[in-house]
Amino acid sequence: MSRPAGPRDRWLLAGAAVVALVATAGSLFLSEVWGLYPCDLCWYQRILMYPLVVVLGVAAYETRPRVYRTVLPLSGVGLAVSTYHSWLQATSDGSCGFGGGCAAIQYRLEPLGLTVPNLALVAFALVTAAGVVLWRRA
């Protein structure tokens, strides 16, 4: 038997939605305003992150903590892709088997030294953590 949703669930859902929204807006800003071209792995990460904005936003509005069933597959795969992408950047010469320059570093957030895939990794980790908390509470 599941427990009723509470205000903590709504805040957790809203926080995860904000993380997904900031990641989405950031990726769009980097490509549309600064003109950075997303590689193939970046596109996969976008495909997995963008729907999370809507899914988590609606779930927060309606306080639907069981949304973890949708969130965890998307964020879990996104976490794996961004981890692999970050690993490629840390260990490769600038090319990969996914259509070119997936390992090339186009932007680094200073003073932290985080690259775009590193930022995606943080976002996917936060959303995945929120999904796991919701799953454990259910």
Side-chain angles (χ1 to χ4, degrees):
M1 190 155 99
S2 65
R3 65 169 184 76
R8 291 188 324 171
D9 293 329
R10 177 168 277 182
W11 283 107
L12 185 60
L13 289 164
V18 167
V19 168
L21 179 64
V22 168
T24 298
S27 73
L28 289 172
F29 178 81
L30 289 173
S31 62
E32 298 301 320
V33 176
W34 282 4
L36 301 181
Y37 185 78
C39 69
D40 289 352
L41 287 176
C42 288
W43 279 114
Y44 294 132
Q45 291 166 79
R46 287 177 177 209
I47 289 166
L48 294 162
M49 181 63 75
Y50 289 11
L52 288 170
V53 175
V54 176
V55 168
L56 288 164
V58 170
Y61 179 75
E62 296 179 352
T63 316
R64 293 184 177 207
R66 295 180 82 76
V67 74
Y68 68 83
R69 294 175 178 176
T70 304
V71 169
L72 285 177
L74 289 170
S75 66
V77 173
L79 185 62
V81 172
S82 60
T83 299
Y84 175 67
H85 198 176
S86 296
W87 176 79
L88 268 180
Q89 284 189 335
T91 62
S92 186
D93 62 356
S95 62
C96 70
F98 289 95
C102 294
I105 297 173
Q106 296 185 50
Y107 175 74
R108 188 178 298 274
L109 179 67
E110 297 298 342
L112 301 175
L114 298 175
T115 64
V116 176
N118 299 149
L119 295 170
L121 178 81
V122 170
F124 278 119
L126 291 171
V127 171
T128 301
V132 169
V133 168
L134 291 167
W135 177 36
R136 298 278 295 156
R137 286 185 188 170

